[in-house]
Amino acid sequence: MSILRPKRFKHLGRSLSLGWFLAYRQVRRSSPFTTGLIVFVMTLTFLNLVVVRGVLVGLIQGSTDVYKKYYAGDIIISSLPKKDYIENSSNIVNIVAGLPWTESYSPRYIQGGSVEAEYKIKLRQTDSPNSAGGLVEGIDPVKEDQTTHLSNKVVEGSYLTSSDSDSILIGANMLKKYTNVDVPGLTLLERVNIGDRVRVTVGDTVREMTVKGFIQTKTDVDQRIVMLDSTMRNLIGRGDYNVDEIAVKLKPKTDVFLVKNALLQSGVGNTARVQTADEALPSFLIDIKNTFGLLGNVVGSIGLVVASITIFIVIFINAITRRKYIGILKGIGINSTAIEFAYVLQSVFYALLGIMFGMLILYGFLVPFVTAHPIKFPFSDGILVAELSSTLIRAGLLMIATLIAGYIPARIVVKQNTLDAILGRN
Amino acid sequence: MIEARNITKRFESGDSVLLALNDVSFKVESGEFVAITGRSGSGKSTLMYQLGLLDHPSSGEIYIDGEKVTEMETDELTKIRLNSLGYVFQDYALIPELTALENVLIPLLMQGLSQEAAKEKAVASLSRIGLADRTDHLPSQLSGGQQQRVSIARAVAHNPKIIFADEPTANLDSESSALVLKNFLELNKEGQTILMVTHEPEYAKMAHRVITLADGKILSDIRNR
Ligand SMILES: Nc1ncnc2c1ncn2[C@@H]1O[C@H](COP(=O)(O)OP(=O)(O)OP(=O)(O)O)[C@@H](O)[C@H]1O
Ligand SMILES: [Mg+2]
């Protein structure tokens, strides 16, 4: 058998196993402090590679997640571009309700409107009103809650019940106290409390209603005034039950496109626009997501370069200080491949440990922690996005960078003149 | 066995040229124990490096078992050093993070011996020079004399055709020196060819033959006895 094996491979095998022999002993007998320090640097580099991008992408992911969770569900059906509402809504609602994949759905009436507080103490007609504009939304509170868990997002007061025909919920972005940015020209409601009577205007209709709660979802819903669908129908005089949008939540693990196609095939597309939540995402979010992803990759690449340089320096110093011994090894007949391999193995060892600790910290602590305590941003609750596949790709990149960064300095030192190395001459 | 033919080693720095070796020719037969002496700067170490294939002579040729080794590729020279030559350096030249046994093991492993076979040979080599009970010590845990003997064990473990030793006793006290020399004599008695540089006339006398260098030339080549 061994006769068939080319001699060169036999030699390579020997060199590699001797390289392993040397690397193993060199690492085992090196100072634990130095080893720890290098592994620490590798760990940080790995985290830098994964976490920076993960946080940047996660910021947007967080906002698209809440968009799905508290606004769109999995599929959102809305009116065709030139129509005021979805024609034949009841028919569509029936189709949606009849689909085997539907878990819940929430039809919504939507119309532009505004809300005004303190209108009773306004003295003159010319005094500027304490009011804010937005969309008025009429919902079935039970269906809405099944679909988007809106009741979880009531930050003050309480959620609507089916008998609250005189009450509204106000979105946080219409309230001064929940909005810390001053947008010129945009007026916000001030000094409104739960239980206050306010004036709601929808189209031409004005009606006095009670504030029952404030909601904050970090989605478009925060710019809305929410009331019962029955009240809304009265206000806008829509007796035909035609709604403006329907959010559909599917059973877990359902293929959204399958459902979208099923809806289109049953003719829903003729009177309404059917989009998956991802398709319906505001395009700026997608743009930011891509930009942040790119930015994360840039930062990560810099991290990769830093890691490579670190390894390069570590191995270079290690090899240079051991130049004499490298010379002796060569002198007694150990070939360059074995010696170089010993150094490459050492850098691989550092990188592997770094990646291992990095993974532990990432999946054992950071991801669960950030998921439990999202990073609060005005437009989203940022999470840490670290899919295993992309993490592994980055680990692989770090590995390759390390291999090269370990090999080059070893090669440089091993290539030096043997006698000069042994004698310490230059 | 090993033959130097008209070896010259020239060092040039600026305009000045120094002939560290000047047309040196001699032949060492298998089983010989040759001592090389001479004043400091006479070219002893330079000669050892050329014969030991650690350096290239400026001109002249070296033959090992009739085969011309000058002008061979680096890889081939490395292989010859591994399989046919053994070195004992003045400062022992052990790898610090390897134990005595491991230091002796590496050339054997490089030769392709299995772990067990290599270990057996290495232990035998260490035992032969009286270090059987020090196999698992690191060089830093050994005395200078012990380190030098590990170095000898490493040099002979793979049965080289010839051992080069450049002032192997220079860093040792007289007692350790005597022990090292005793090891050499025993190895030689078993047939090992040895080429040793020494300053000690007393040690030179123990060799079969003493070559004295002066200014890069052979001043005398005397057989003892
Ligand atoms: N790399 C070098 N560059 C220039 N000159 C050198 C070099 N190596 C050796 N020489 C010179 O060659 C001559 C012979 O040196 P060598 O080291 O062989 O002497 P030596 O006999 O071993 O001396 P010692 O007993 O002190 O070890 C000396 O004059 C030395 O200065
Ligand atoms: Mg010398």
PDB file of all heavy atoms in Angstrom, chain A residues 231-264:
ATOM      1  N   THR A 231     -68.049  52.929  15.789  1.00  0.00           N
ATOM      2  CA  THR A 231     -68.014  54.381  15.946  1.00  0.00           C
ATOM      3  C   THR A 231     -67.494  55.035  14.676  1.00  0.00           C
ATOM      4  O   THR A 231     -68.028  56.030  14.185  1.00  0.00           O
ATOM      5  CB  THR A 231     -67.093  54.761  17.128  1.00  0.00           C
ATOM      6  OG1 THR A 231     -67.400  53.939  18.239  1.00  0.00           O
ATOM      7  CG2 THR A 231     -67.231  56.226  17.478  1.00  0.00           C
ATOM      8  N   MET A 232     -66.426  54.429  14.132  1.00  0.00           N
ATOM      9  CA  MET A 232     -65.791  54.973  12.946  1.00  0.00           C
ATOM     10  C   MET A 232     -66.772  54.971  11.765  1.00  0.00           C
ATOM     11  O   MET A 232     -66.873  55.946  11.030  1.00  0.00           O
ATOM     12  CB  MET A 232     -64.558  54.112  12.622  1.00  0.00           C
ATOM     13  CG  MET A 232     -63.801  54.541  11.393  1.00  0.00           C
ATOM     14  SD  MET A 232     -62.714  55.913  11.760  1.00  0.00           S
ATOM     15  CE  MET A 232     -61.790  56.000  10.227  1.00  0.00           C
ATOM     16  N   ARG A 233     -67.487  53.859  11.614  1.00  0.00           N
ATOM     17  CA  ARG A 233     -68.450  53.776  10.508  1.00  0.00           C
ATOM     18  C   ARG A 233     -69.494  54.885  10.620  1.00  0.00           C
ATOM     19  O   ARG A 233     -69.852  55.524   9.645  1.00  0.00           O
ATOM     20  CB  ARG A 233     -69.147  52.411  10.513  1.00  0.00           C
ATOM     21  CG  ARG A 233     -68.363  51.313   9.813  1.00  0.00           C
ATOM     22  CD  ARG A 233     -69.279  50.146   9.434  1.00  0.00           C
ATOM     23  NE  ARG A 233     -69.954  49.563  10.584  1.00  0.00           N
ATOM     24  CZ  ARG A 233     -69.423  48.586  11.332  1.00  0.00           C
ATOM     25  NH1 ARG A 233     -68.232  48.102  11.052  1.00  0.00           N
ATOM     26  NH2 ARG A 233     -70.084  48.114  12.366  1.00  0.00           N
ATOM     27  N   ASN A 234     -69.916  55.147  11.846  1.00  0.00           N
ATOM     28  CA  ASN A 234     -70.867  56.238  12.077  1.00  0.00           C
ATOM     29  C   ASN A 234     -70.287  57.568  11.664  1.00  0.00           C
ATOM     30  O   ASN A 234     -70.901  58.351  10.968  1.00  0.00           O
ATOM     31  CB  ASN A 234     -71.214  56.322  13.563  1.00  0.00           C
ATOM     32  CG  ASN A 234     -72.385  55.412  13.878  1.00  0.00           C
ATOM     33  OD1 ASN A 234     -73.212  55.166  13.000  1.00  0.00           O
ATOM     34  ND2 ASN A 234     -72.428  54.910  15.094  1.00  0.00           N
ATOM     35  N   LEU A 235     -69.041  57.799  12.125  1.00  0.00           N
ATOM     36  CA  LEU A 235     -68.407  59.097  11.891  1.00  0.00           C
ATOM     37  C   LEU A 235     -68.227  59.367  10.402  1.00  0.00           C
ATOM     38  O   LEU A 235     -68.445  60.474   9.931  1.00  0.00           O
ATOM     39  CB  LEU A 235     -67.051  59.155  12.591  1.00  0.00           C
ATOM     40  CG  LEU A 235     -67.085  59.424  14.095  1.00  0.00           C
ATOM     41  CD1 LEU A 235     -65.687  59.271  14.682  1.00  0.00           C
ATOM     42  CD2 LEU A 235     -67.624  60.818  14.374  1.00  0.00           C
ATOM     43  N   ILE A 236     -67.775  58.331   9.657  1.00  0.00           N
ATOM     44  CA  ILE A 236     -67.504  58.589   8.246  1.00  0.00           C
ATOM     45  C   ILE A 236     -68.678  58.186   7.365  1.00  0.00           C
ATOM     46  O   ILE A 236     -68.621  58.296   6.141  1.00  0.00           O
ATOM     47  CB  ILE A 236     -66.224  57.859   7.774  1.00  0.00           C
ATOM     48  CG1 ILE A 236     -66.349  56.338   7.975  1.00  0.00           C
ATOM     49  CG2 ILE A 236     -64.996  58.397   8.495  1.00  0.00           C
ATOM     50  CD1 ILE A 236     -65.151  55.577   7.417  1.00  0.00           C
ATOM     51  N   GLY A 237     -69.702  57.717   7.998  1.00  0.00           N
ATOM     52  CA  GLY A 237     -70.908  57.389   7.257  1.00  0.00           C
ATOM     53  C   GLY A 237     -70.717  56.272   6.260  1.00  0.00           C
ATOM     54  O   GLY A 237     -71.156  56.355   5.117  1.00  0.00           O
ATOM     55  N   ARG A 238     -69.975  55.263   6.652  1.00  0.00           N
ATOM     56  CA  ARG A 238     -69.765  54.153   5.718  1.00  0.00           C
ATOM     57  C   ARG A 238     -70.609  52.958   6.153  1.00  0.00           C
ATOM     58  O   ARG A 238     -70.256  52.219   7.062  1.00  0.00           O
ATOM     59  CB  ARG A 238     -68.297  53.770   5.670  1.00  0.00           C
ATOM     60  CG  ARG A 238     -67.967  52.913   4.430  1.00  0.00           C
ATOM     61  CD  ARG A 238     -66.506  52.575   4.340  1.00  0.00           C
ATOM     62  NE  ARG A 238     -65.698  53.708   3.950  1.00  0.00           N
ATOM     63  CZ  ARG A 238     -64.356  53.688   4.049  1.00  0.00           C
ATOM     64  NH1 ARG A 238     -63.739  52.638   4.539  1.00  0.00           N
ATOM     65  NH2 ARG A 238     -63.680  54.739   3.665  1.00  0.00           N
ATOM     66  N   GLY A 239     -71.756  52.807   5.463  1.00  0.00           N
ATOM     67  CA  GLY A 239     -72.671  51.738   5.866  1.00  0.00           C
ATOM     68  C   GLY A 239     -72.395  50.424   5.180  1.00  0.00           C
ATOM     69  O   GLY A 239     -72.972  49.397   5.513  1.00  0.00           O
ATOM     70  N   ASP A 240     -71.479  50.416   4.199  1.00  0.00           N
ATOM     71  CA  ASP A 240     -71.286  49.203   3.397  1.00  0.00           C
ATOM     72  C   ASP A 240     -70.237  48.246   3.957  1.00  0.00           C
ATOM     73  O   ASP A 240     -69.896  47.245   3.337  1.00  0.00           O
ATOM     74  CB  ASP A 240     -70.920  49.571   1.961  1.00  0.00           C
ATOM     75  CG  ASP A 240     -69.721  50.504   1.919  1.00  0.00           C
ATOM     76  OD1 ASP A 240     -69.056  50.666   2.978  1.00  0.00           O
ATOM     77  OD2 ASP A 240     -69.427  51.064   0.850  1.00  0.00           O
ATOM     78  N   TYR A 241     -69.690  48.581   5.108  1.00  0.00           N
ATOM     79  CA  TYR A 241     -68.679  47.727   5.756  1.00  0.00           C
ATOM     80  C   TYR A 241     -67.387  47.573   4.929  1.00  0.00           C
ATOM     81  O   TYR A 241     -66.631  46.646   5.143  1.00  0.00           O
ATOM     82  CB  TYR A 241     -69.243  46.339   6.093  1.00  0.00           C
ATOM     83  CG  TYR A 241     -70.217  46.379   7.251  1.00  0.00           C
ATOM     84  CD1 TYR A 241     -71.548  46.739   7.057  1.00  0.00           C
ATOM     85  CD2 TYR A 241     -69.786  46.076   8.547  1.00  0.00           C
ATOM     86  CE1 TYR A 241     -72.434  46.804   8.105  1.00  0.00           C
ATOM     87  CE2 TYR A 241     -70.680  46.132   9.600  1.00  0.00           C
ATOM     88  CZ  TYR A 241     -71.994  46.487   9.388  1.00  0.00           C
ATOM     89  OH  TYR A 241     -72.869  46.547  10.429  1.00  0.00           O
ATOM     90  N   ASN A 242     -67.184  48.460   3.998  1.00  0.00           N
ATOM     91  CA  ASN A 242     -65.922  48.387   3.253  1.00  0.00           C
ATOM     92  C   ASN A 242     -64.794  49.000   4.076  1.00  0.00           C
ATOM     93  O   ASN A 242     -64.884  50.141   4.520  1.00  0.00           O
ATOM     94  CB  ASN A 242     -66.037  49.124   1.916  1.00  0.00           C
ATOM     95  CG  ASN A 242     -66.703  48.256   0.877  1.00  0.00           C
ATOM     96  OD1 ASN A 242     -66.687  47.015   0.996  1.00  0.00           O
ATOM     97  ND2 ASN A 242     -67.304  48.883  -0.110  1.00  0.00           N
ATOM     98  N   VAL A 243     -63.749  48.225   4.271  1.00  0.00           N
ATOM     99  CA  VAL A 243     -62.643  48.690   5.128  1.00  0.00           C
ATOM    100  C   VAL A 243     -61.485  49.181   4.264  1.00  0.00           C
ATOM    101  O   VAL A 243     -61.525  49.088   3.027  1.00  0.00           O
ATOM    102  CB  VAL A 243     -62.159  47.586   6.084  1.00  0.00           C
ATOM    103  CG1 VAL A 243     -63.246  47.219   7.065  1.00  0.00           C
ATOM    104  CG2 VAL A 243     -61.676  46.388   5.302  1.00  0.00           C
ATOM    105  N   ASP A 244     -60.435  49.698   4.934  1.00  0.00           N
ATOM    106  CA  ASP A 244     -59.298  50.253   4.189  1.00  0.00           C
ATOM    107  C   ASP A 244     -58.081  49.341   4.196  1.00  0.00           C
ATOM    108  O   ASP A 244     -57.270  49.370   3.281  1.00  0.00           O
ATOM    109  CB  ASP A 244     -58.932  51.622   4.774  1.00  0.00           C
ATOM    110  CG  ASP A 244     -60.052  52.612   4.575  1.00  0.00           C
ATOM    111  OD1 ASP A 244     -60.978  52.645   5.434  1.00  0.00           O
ATOM    112  OD2 ASP A 244     -60.038  53.300   3.551  1.00  0.00           O
ATOM    113  N   GLU A 245     -57.952  48.578   5.258  1.00  0.00           N
ATOM    114  CA  GLU A 245     -56.872  47.586   5.228  1.00  0.00           C
ATOM    115  C   GLU A 245     -57.228  46.416   6.132  1.00  0.00           C
ATOM    116  O   GLU A 245     -58.006  46.552   7.067  1.00  0.00           O
ATOM    117  CB  GLU A 245     -55.512  48.196   5.607  1.00  0.00           C
ATOM    118  CG  GLU A 245     -55.394  48.630   7.062  1.00  0.00           C
ATOM    119  CD  GLU A 245     -54.057  49.305   7.382  1.00  0.00           C
ATOM    120  OE1 GLU A 245     -53.424  49.856   6.455  1.00  0.00           O
ATOM    121  OE2 GLU A 245     -53.663  49.280   8.553  1.00  0.00           O
ATOM    122  N   ILE A 246     -56.613  45.265   5.795  1.00  0.00           N
ATOM    123  CA  ILE A 246     -56.830  44.074   6.613  1.00  0.00           C
ATOM    124  C   ILE A 246     -55.461  43.474   6.903  1.00  0.00           C
ATOM    125  O   ILE A 246     -54.720  43.137   5.975  1.00  0.00           O
ATOM    126  CB  ILE A 246     -57.685  43.016   5.870  1.00  0.00           C
ATOM    127  CG1 ILE A 246     -58.980  43.648   5.351  1.00  0.00           C
ATOM    128  CG2 ILE A 246     -57.978  41.826   6.788  1.00  0.00           C
ATOM    129  CD1 ILE A 246     -59.693  42.793   4.323  1.00  0.00           C
ATOM    130  N   ALA A 247     -55.130  43.403   8.193  1.00  0.00           N
ATOM    131  CA  ALA A 247     -53.869  42.760   8.566  1.00  0.00           C
ATOM    132  C   ALA A 247     -54.174  41.296   8.844  1.00  0.00           C
ATOM    133  O   ALA A 247     -55.144  40.981   9.529  1.00  0.00           O
ATOM    134  CB  ALA A 247     -53.277  43.420   9.802  1.00  0.00           C
ATOM    135  N   VAL A 248     -53.348  40.401   8.283  1.00  0.00           N
ATOM    136  CA  VAL A 248     -53.607  38.971   8.441  1.00  0.00           C
ATOM    137  C   VAL A 248     -52.426  38.301   9.124  1.00  0.00           C
ATOM    138  O   VAL A 248     -51.289  38.455   8.690  1.00  0.00           O
ATOM    139  CB  VAL A 248     -53.848  38.290   7.073  1.00  0.00           C
ATOM    140  CG1 VAL A 248     -54.230  36.830   7.273  1.00  0.00           C
ATOM    141  CG2 VAL A 248     -54.896  39.037   6.278  1.00  0.00           C
ATOM    142  N   LYS A 249     -52.729  37.602  10.194  1.00  0.00           N
ATOM    143  CA  LYS A 249     -51.672  36.847  10.860  1.00  0.00           C
ATOM    144  C   LYS A 249     -51.855  35.374  10.525  1.00  0.00           C
ATOM    145  O   LYS A 249     -52.958  34.843  10.593  1.00  0.00           O
ATOM    146  CB  LYS A 249     -51.758  37.047  12.367  1.00  0.00           C
ATOM    147  CG  LYS A 249     -50.646  36.387  13.131  1.00  0.00           C
ATOM    148  CD  LYS A 249     -50.685  36.872  14.562  1.00  0.00           C
ATOM    149  CE  LYS A 249     -50.069  35.872  15.506  1.00  0.00           C
ATOM    150  NZ  LYS A 249     -50.312  36.282  16.892  1.00  0.00           N
ATOM    151  N   LEU A 250     -50.743  34.742  10.120  1.00  0.00           N
ATOM    152  CA  LEU A 250     -50.823  33.341   9.710  1.00  0.00           C
ATOM    153  C   LEU A 250     -50.378  32.417  10.825  1.00  0.00           C
ATOM    154  O   LEU A 250     -49.694  32.844  11.760  1.00  0.00           O
ATOM    155  CB  LEU A 250     -49.951  33.112   8.475  1.00  0.00           C
ATOM    156  CG  LEU A 250     -50.296  33.982   7.260  1.00  0.00           C
ATOM    157  CD1 LEU A 250     -49.314  33.730   6.135  1.00  0.00           C
ATOM    158  CD2 LEU A 250     -51.720  33.717   6.800  1.00  0.00           C
ATOM    159  N   LYS A 251     -50.747  31.162  10.675  1.00  0.00           N
ATOM    160  CA  LYS A 251     -50.287  30.172  11.656  1.00  0.00           C
ATOM    161  C   LYS A 251     -48.773  30.050  11.546  1.00  0.00           C
ATOM    162  O   LYS A 251     -48.213  30.230  10.459  1.00  0.00           O
ATOM    163  CB  LYS A 251     -50.956  28.835  11.382  1.00  0.00           C
ATOM    164  CG  LYS A 251     -52.451  28.903  11.682  1.00  0.00           C
ATOM    165  CD  LYS A 251     -53.126  27.575  11.590  1.00  0.00           C
ATOM    166  CE  LYS A 251     -54.563  27.726  12.086  1.00  0.00           C
ATOM    167  NZ  LYS A 251     -55.530  27.011  11.262  1.00  0.00           N
ATOM    168  N   PRO A 252     -48.095  29.716  12.637  1.00  0.00           N
ATOM    169  CA  PRO A 252     -46.622  29.651  12.619  1.00  0.00           C
ATOM    170  C   PRO A 252     -46.117  28.750  11.496  1.00  0.00           C
ATOM    171  O   PRO A 252     -46.734  27.726  11.189  1.00  0.00           O
ATOM    172  CB  PRO A 252     -46.270  29.066  13.982  1.00  0.00           C
ATOM    173  CG  PRO A 252     -47.451  29.370  14.849  1.00  0.00           C
ATOM    174  CD  PRO A 252     -48.645  29.424  13.957  1.00  0.00           C
ATOM    175  N   LYS A 253     -45.006  29.154  10.901  1.00  0.00           N
ATOM    176  CA  LYS A 253     -44.308  28.372   9.871  1.00  0.00           C
ATOM    177  C   LYS A 253     -45.067  28.261   8.554  1.00  0.00           C
ATOM    178  O   LYS A 253     -44.779  27.383   7.750  1.00  0.00           O
ATOM    179  CB  LYS A 253     -43.956  26.972  10.386  1.00  0.00           C
ATOM    180  CG  LYS A 253     -42.876  27.038  11.449  1.00  0.00           C
ATOM    181  CD  LYS A 253     -42.426  25.685  11.894  1.00  0.00           C
ATOM    182  CE  LYS A 253     -41.381  25.819  12.992  1.00  0.00           C
ATOM    183  NZ  LYS A 253     -41.395  24.705  13.925  1.00  0.00           N
ATOM    184  N   THR A 254     -46.049  29.119   8.364  1.00  0.00           N
ATOM    185  CA  THR A 254     -46.739  29.099   7.075  1.00  0.00           C
ATOM    186  C   THR A 254     -45.911  29.885   6.066  1.00  0.00           C
ATOM    187  O   THR A 254     -45.332  30.909   6.393  1.00  0.00           O
ATOM    188  CB  THR A 254     -48.128  29.756   7.203  1.00  0.00           C
ATOM    189  OG1 THR A 254     -48.800  29.188   8.314  1.00  0.00           O
ATOM    190  CG2 THR A 254     -48.936  29.552   5.945  1.00  0.00           C
ATOM    191  N   ASP A 255     -45.874  29.394   4.836  1.00  0.00           N
ATOM    192  CA  ASP A 255     -45.180  30.106   3.772  1.00  0.00           C
ATOM    193  C   ASP A 255     -46.059  31.272   3.318  1.00  0.00           C
ATOM    194  O   ASP A 255     -47.134  31.075   2.766  1.00  0.00           O
ATOM    195  CB  ASP A 255     -44.917  29.133   2.616  1.00  0.00           C
ATOM    196  CG  ASP A 255     -44.275  29.816   1.430  1.00  0.00           C
ATOM    197  OD1 ASP A 255     -43.959  31.016   1.550  1.00  0.00           O
ATOM    198  OD2 ASP A 255     -44.085  29.151   0.401  1.00  0.00           O
ATOM    199  N   VAL A 256     -45.616  32.501   3.561  1.00  0.00           N
ATOM    200  CA  VAL A 256     -46.455  33.666   3.269  1.00  0.00           C
ATOM    201  C   VAL A 256     -46.813  33.761   1.795  1.00  0.00           C
ATOM    202  O   VAL A 256     -47.906  34.189   1.436  1.00  0.00           O
ATOM    203  CB  VAL A 256     -45.803  34.993   3.700  1.00  0.00           C
ATOM    204  CG1 VAL A 256     -46.011  35.251   5.158  1.00  0.00           C
ATOM    205  CG2 VAL A 256     -44.350  35.060   3.331  1.00  0.00           C
ATOM    206  N   PHE A 257     -45.859  33.368   0.941  1.00  0.00           N
ATOM    207  CA  PHE A 257     -46.120  33.523  -0.493  1.00  0.00           C
ATOM    208  C   PHE A 257     -47.201  32.560  -0.967  1.00  0.00           C
ATOM    209  O   PHE A 257     -47.972  32.874  -1.857  1.00  0.00           O
ATOM    210  CB  PHE A 257     -44.824  33.354  -1.284  1.00  0.00           C
ATOM    211  CG  PHE A 257     -43.918  34.534  -1.092  1.00  0.00           C
ATOM    212  CD1 PHE A 257     -42.858  34.473  -0.197  1.00  0.00           C
ATOM    213  CD2 PHE A 257     -44.154  35.727  -1.775  1.00  0.00           C
ATOM    214  CE1 PHE A 257     -42.046  35.570   0.001  1.00  0.00           C
ATOM    215  CE2 PHE A 257     -43.345  36.824  -1.574  1.00  0.00           C
ATOM    216  CZ  PHE A 257     -42.290  36.752  -0.688  1.00  0.00           C
ATOM    217  N   LEU A 258     -47.233  31.420  -0.344  1.00  0.00           N
ATOM    218  CA  LEU A 258     -48.276  30.453  -0.640  1.00  0.00           C
ATOM    219  C   LEU A 258     -49.642  31.086  -0.390  1.00  0.00           C
ATOM    220  O   LEU A 258     -50.551  31.019  -1.213  1.00  0.00           O
ATOM    221  CB  LEU A 258     -48.086  29.228   0.269  1.00  0.00           C
ATOM    222  CG  LEU A 258     -49.079  28.097   0.128  1.00  0.00           C
ATOM    223  CD1 LEU A 258     -48.560  27.098  -0.882  1.00  0.00           C
ATOM    224  CD2 LEU A 258     -49.292  27.409   1.483  1.00  0.00           C
ATOM    225  N   VAL A 259     -49.754  31.746   0.759  1.00  0.00           N
ATOM    226  CA  VAL A 259     -51.023  32.356   1.142  1.00  0.00           C
ATOM    227  C   VAL A 259     -51.331  33.547   0.247  1.00  0.00           C
ATOM    228  O   VAL A 259     -52.462  33.753  -0.196  1.00  0.00           O
ATOM    229  CB  VAL A 259     -50.990  32.768   2.624  1.00  0.00           C
ATOM    230  CG1 VAL A 259     -52.322  33.355   3.038  1.00  0.00           C
ATOM    231  CG2 VAL A 259     -50.624  31.578   3.492  1.00  0.00           C
ATOM    232  N   LYS A 260     -50.274  34.310  -0.045  1.00  0.00           N
ATOM    233  CA  LYS A 260     -50.477  35.467  -0.916  1.00  0.00           C
ATOM    234  C   LYS A 260     -51.029  34.999  -2.266  1.00  0.00           C
ATOM    235  O   LYS A 260     -51.996  35.562  -2.794  1.00  0.00           O
ATOM    236  CB  LYS A 260     -49.153  36.198  -1.105  1.00  0.00           C
ATOM    237  CG  LYS A 260     -49.280  37.438  -1.980  1.00  0.00           C
ATOM    238  CD  LYS A 260     -47.941  38.073  -2.289  1.00  0.00           C
ATOM    239  CE  LYS A 260     -48.129  39.127  -3.371  1.00  0.00           C
ATOM    240  NZ  LYS A 260     -46.868  39.755  -3.752  1.00  0.00           N
ATOM    241  N   ASN A 261     -50.432  33.954  -2.816  1.00  0.00           N
ATOM    242  CA  ASN A 261     -50.886  33.437  -4.101  1.00  0.00           C
ATOM    243  C   ASN A 261     -52.312  32.911  -4.024  1.00  0.00           C
ATOM    244  O   ASN A 261     -53.111  33.133  -4.931  1.00  0.00           O
ATOM    245  CB  ASN A 261     -49.945  32.332  -4.590  1.00  0.00           C
ATOM    246  CG  ASN A 261     -48.657  32.930  -5.110  1.00  0.00           C
ATOM    247  OD1 ASN A 261     -48.634  34.094  -5.507  1.00  0.00           O
ATOM    248  ND2 ASN A 261     -47.594  32.148  -5.085  1.00  0.00           N
ATOM    249  N   ALA A 262     -52.610  32.245  -2.919  1.00  0.00           N
ATOM    250  CA  ALA A 262     -53.958  31.726  -2.745  1.00  0.00           C
ATOM    251  C   ALA A 262     -54.964  32.881  -2.750  1.00  0.00           C
ATOM    252  O   ALA A 262     -56.027  32.801  -3.380  1.00  0.00           O
ATOM    253  CB  ALA A 262     -54.049  30.947  -1.444  1.00  0.00           C
ATOM    254  N   LEU A 263     -54.579  33.967  -2.071  1.00  0.00           N
ATOM    255  CA  LEU A 263     -55.468  35.129  -2.016  1.00  0.00           C
ATOM    256  C   LEU A 263     -55.647  35.729  -3.405  1.00  0.00           C
ATOM    257  O   LEU A 263     -56.759  36.057  -3.820  1.00  0.00           O
ATOM    258  CB  LEU A 263     -54.895  36.183  -1.058  1.00  0.00           C
ATOM    259  CG  LEU A 263     -55.071  35.888   0.433  1.00  0.00           C
ATOM    260  CD1 LEU A 263     -54.241  36.837   1.276  1.00  0.00           C
ATOM    261  CD2 LEU A 263     -56.553  36.000   0.809  1.00  0.00           C
ATOM    262  N   LEU A 264     -54.539  35.849  -4.117  1.00  0.00           N
ATOM    263  CA  LEU A 264     -54.615  36.429  -5.453  1.00  0.00           C
ATOM    264  C   LEU A 264     -55.469  35.548  -6.361  1.00  0.00           C
ATOM    265  O   LEU A 264     -56.248  36.042  -7.169  1.00  0.00           O
ATOM    266  CB  LEU A 264     -53.213  36.605  -6.036  1.00  0.00           C
ATOM    267  CG  LEU A 264     -52.365  37.717  -5.379  1.00  0.00           C
ATOM    268  CD1 LEU A 264     -50.972  37.747  -5.960  1.00  0.00           C
ATOM    269  CD2 LEU A 264     -53.051  39.081  -5.526  1.00  0.00           C
TER     270      LEU A 264
END
